[in-house]
Amino acid sequence: MMSETEAAWVREQVWTSAMRRAHAEVPGYLGECPCEYQARCPHGEQCTRREPLARPIGVILRPGGEQAACFPEPFAHPTPTAVGPQRTAEAQIWYADHTCRWVCTCECHSEPDPEQVLAFVVRLGLVPPETTMDELPPPAFRAYRVEIVHQARLRDLRARRERQFAAEQQRAAERDRAYRAARARSDRIRDWARERGWPIRHGRVPRAAIEAYQVAVEGQAGQGSLF
């Protein structure tokens, strides 16, 4: 397993810009193994994914890093999917010696702890405080499951909003740095041109002065005017 430093290098040097954007918005989307997925089922007792689902660890992407690459023909053998085995042409990546499986982590796969259910319904006033765990009615368990799913959705929503806010803050900081760098460069060009007697009118620097600065100071053939 690679270290955090090695993973950061791969993200910076190997990943495409689209992959880095996806990682900024949903960090676990590209960085988690299927067996680490923590997605919660929204269906409660109607959940249909009660068996572990074998998943590839990833796919080979097309140039641009947004869509999966595909072979000319589908694989000869079906690939496990949520709706049953399907033949696919996607360039999937599987481990050679073992298979990772995704397991739904919602509470509908196990009975809730009666003690937690009792505390929940007593707190809401649904049953008298003297009620024992043996006296809990079936609706109390259903109400508890619904509440757990609801709270999980709220947590996921808050986490998603926090990630989006952090990503927007990062993009805003990058835009600000780019603006300040361009502004500082413009000021340097203006000062350089003024010292050498170029005519500066209303703060505008002649294109010829900008290109002269690029050749003399930046060692370039020209980047075009910034003014």
Side-chain angles (χ1 to χ4, degrees):
M1 180 180 297
M2 67 176 63
S3 65
E4 287 294 331
T5 302
E6 292 169 335
W9 184 91
V10 171
R11 289 193 294 269
E12 179 66 26
Q13 304 294 330
V14 181
W15 281 15
T16 64
S17 58
M19 295 172 70
R20 286 191 287 270
R21 286 197 303 271
H23 178 73
E25 295 178 2
V26 187
Y29 181 71
L30 295 171
E32 288 185 349
C33 178
C35 62
E36 297 176 309
Y37 291 168
Q38 295 298 318
R40 291 184 175 272
C41 170
H43 305 298
E45 293 182 336
Q46 303 301 317
C47 179
T48 57
R49 175 45 55 191
R50 293 182 177 272
E51 297 296 329
L53 176 63
R55 297 293 299 156
I57 61 173
V59 295
I60 298 174
L61 299 177
R62 297 179 183 178
E66 295 187 2
Q67 297 179 336
C70 295
F71 294 110
E73 298 290 338
F75 287 103
H77 301 286
T79 298
T81 72
V83 294
Q86 302 286 333
R87 295 185 66 195
T88 179
E90 281 190 348
Q92 298 179 341
I93 304 172
W94 294 77
Y95 283 122
D97 55 349
H98 65 278
T99 301
C100 286
R101 299 177 182 273
W102 172 76
V103 179
C104 180
T105 58
C106 73
E107 287 73 13
C108 60
H109 301 304
S110 61
E111 285 298 323
D113 183 357
E115 185 175 352
Q116 295 179 351
V117 176
L118 178 60
F120 168 72
V121 293
V122 168
R123 185 173 69 252
L124 294 183
L126 300 178
V127 297
E130 61 273 12
T131 303
T132 65
M133 288 187 289
D134 294 335
E135 296 173 336
L136 282 173
F141 289 84
R142 290 196 293 271
Y144 180 78
R145 289 195 186 96
V146 170
E147 177 65 14
I148 290 298
V149 172
H150 175 67
Q151 292 299 326
R153 289 177 179 172
L154 291 180
R155 288 194 299 271
D156 293 342
L157 178 60
R158 285 194 294 268
R160 183 163 61 250
R161 288 177 175 174
E162 290 174 358
R163 289 194 298 267
Q164 292 173 346
F165 178 77
E168 180 56 34
Q169 290 291 97
Q170 181 178 358
R171 289 192 291 268
E174 291 174 353
R175 290 193 296 267
D176 183 68
R177 285 194 295 270
Y179 168 79
R180 292 179 182 274
R183 185 64 179 268
R185 180 173 180 267
S186 299
D187 293 340
R188 290 195 300 271
I189 294 176
R190 186 179 293 105
D191 294 341
W192 182 88
R194 184 178 289 113
E195 291 173 358
R196 284 156 181 77
W198 288 91
I200 309 296
R201 295 185 177 87
H202 305 293
R204 298 181 64 85
V205 180
R207 179 180 294 275
I210 297 173
E211 294 182 351
Y213 176 88
Q214 292 170 338
V215 173
V217 179
E218 298 178 340
Q220 302 179 24
Q223 296 181 349
S225 176
L226 294 177
F227 301 85

